[in-house]
Amino acid sequence: MRIDILTLFPGMFSGVLSESILKKAQEKGAVDIRLVDFREFADNKHKTVDDYPYGGGAGMVLKPQPIFDAVEHVTAGSPGARIILLCPQGERYTQKKAEELAQEEHLVLICGHYEGYDERIRQYLATDEISIGDYILTGGELGAMVIVDSVVRLLPGVLGNEASPVDDSFSSGLLEYPQYTRPADFRGMKVPDILLSGNHQLIAEWREKESLRRTFLRRPDLLDEYPLTDKQKQWLKEWEHERETENGGSQCGVSKIFVGDIPK
């Protein structure tokens, strides 16, 4: 995959792209990430990329010319590239969208600043508009980092264990089940016996059940479109009954733990 990031602040990406999984992915040749300062494409001597909006209003707006020229430069010979506008008005970003973008060969991410984009960029250039959440950031760079990280980790050969992204929260439609490691007993807090049993079938069922339970307690909205099996529907009925009888128990599955109860 090739990813071009159009930004006025390429220095913001130096740490993110030179550490951890993103660094390894580039070293393996799984992804080619290029930073493009679209100020260099401005056609005026002062290299300005913004101007006052027609009709008046607060702030400045990104001009179409530098961004159009930069995109045309990086997509020369790549007519099928996805041109993604980082924008608070865009589609809310999800794991499903990350999986969709991971199938592409070429992504172009445009990081906005100031009061927004000239509408012609949105209307005639971008193929996608994405927002990483319902809040406002100074620019699109942080959103671009989120998209790059979430997409690149899905590329073949990037993660050491190919099952890792499959088991992640949201990938299956549910939140991930609880995880434990050594020691089996830490300050009296013990790993569930079933995980020490060696019975892979029972462990798989426990993980399925705990994944569903955690989703039910923390993100029940994810279950609205989830294709529940008969067994899973029965579990939900049992938990709904338990919650009703508890009359006000914790919604995070930690009702037994209070401040001061953590073992020393």
Side-chain angles (χ1 to χ4, degrees):
M1 174 181 281
R2 173 178 165 182
I3 302 176
D4 287 283
I5 304 172
L6 275 58
T7 172
L8 296 175
F9 302 98
M12 290 182 65
F13 293 86
S14 58
V16 173
L17 299 181
S18 61
E19 300 287 347
S20 188
I21 295 297
L22 291 180
K23 176 184 179 181
K24 294 177 181 178
Q26 293 174 88
E27 291 175 342
K28 291 179 178 179
V31 64
D32 177 12
I33 303 175
R34 307 181 187 187
L35 298 171
V36 180
D37 185 348
F38 61 85
R39 190 182 298 279
E40 297 303 316
F41 291 84
D43 62 358
N44 58 84
K45 67 178 181 179
H46 297 296
K47 297 294 184 182
T48 56
V49 296
D50 61 325
D51 209 337
Y52 295 102
Y54 281 120
M60 307 289 278
V61 174
L62 285 170
K63 298 165 63 175
Q65 177 272 317
I67 294 179
F68 268 79
D69 284 2
V71 169
E72 289 166 359
H73 174 76
V74 301
T75 59
S78 180
R82 294 280 286 270
I83 315 300
I84 300 170
L85 206 61
L86 277 300
C87 174
Q89 300 177 25
E91 169 190 355
R92 186 182 294 183
Y93 195 55
T94 63
Q95 182 66 20
K96 183 178 179 180
K97 189 69 172 182
E99 293 168 358
E100 175 189 328
L101 296 179
Q103 304 303 312
E104 300 291 336
E105 294 183 0
H106 190 185
L107 302 178
V108 179
L109 308 181
I110 305 175
C111 305
H113 269 273
Y114 312 117
E115 288 300 314
Y117 305 93
D118 183 292
E119 186 66 18
R120 290 163 290 191
I121 298 170
R122 189 191 315 276
Q123 188 173 1
Y124 297 105
L125 187 62
T127 61
D128 301 80
E129 294 180 54
I130 290 178
S131 168
I132 62 168
D134 295 342
Y135 45 86
I136 305 300
L137 299 171
T138 303
E141 282 75 14
L142 294 176
M145 295 175 195
V146 168
I147 292 174
V148 170
D149 185 89
S150 61
V151 168
V152 170
R153 67 189 305 278
L154 296 174
L155 300 179
V158 170
L159 297 183
N161 185 341
E162 295 299 323
S164 293
V166 177
D167 292 335
D168 285 341
S169 292
F170 307 114
S171 292
S172 67
L174 302 175
L175 299 184
E176 190 176 13
Y177 48 79
Q179 298 269 29
Y180 298 87
T181 188
R182 294 179 178 84
D185 185 336
F186 175 68
R187 298 182 182 178
M189 297 177 282
K190 298 181 179 182
V191 172
D193 291 339
I194 195 168
L195 297 179
L196 308 176
S197 68
N199 188 320
H200 297 294
Q201 181 176 348
L202 291 180
I203 291 173
E205 182 173 329
W206 179 89
R207 287 176 168 171
E208 176 191 357
K209 189 172 184 178
E210 291 305 310
S211 180
L212 183 64
R213 187 201 306 271
R214 181 158 287 187
T215 306
F216 167 71
L217 292 173
R218 303 185 180 194
R219 289 292 306 276
D221 56 295
L222 296 177
L223 299 177
D224 291 343
E225 299 181 3
Y226 187 78
L228 293 165
T229 65
D230 291 339
K231 178 176 63 176
Q232 291 172 331
K233 290 177 182 178
Q234 183 59 41
W235 288 340
L236 287 177
K237 288 181 180 179
E238 293 173 4
W239 297 330
E240 287 171 351
H241 177 70
E242 289 175 4
R243 188 162 64 177
E244 290 173 359
T245 56
E246 286 179 1
N247 190 23
S250 168
Q251 295 299 301
C252 290
V254 291
S255 58
K256 302 300 183 183
I257 300 178
F258 300 91
V259 175
D261 284 351
I262 299 177
K264 303 298 183 183

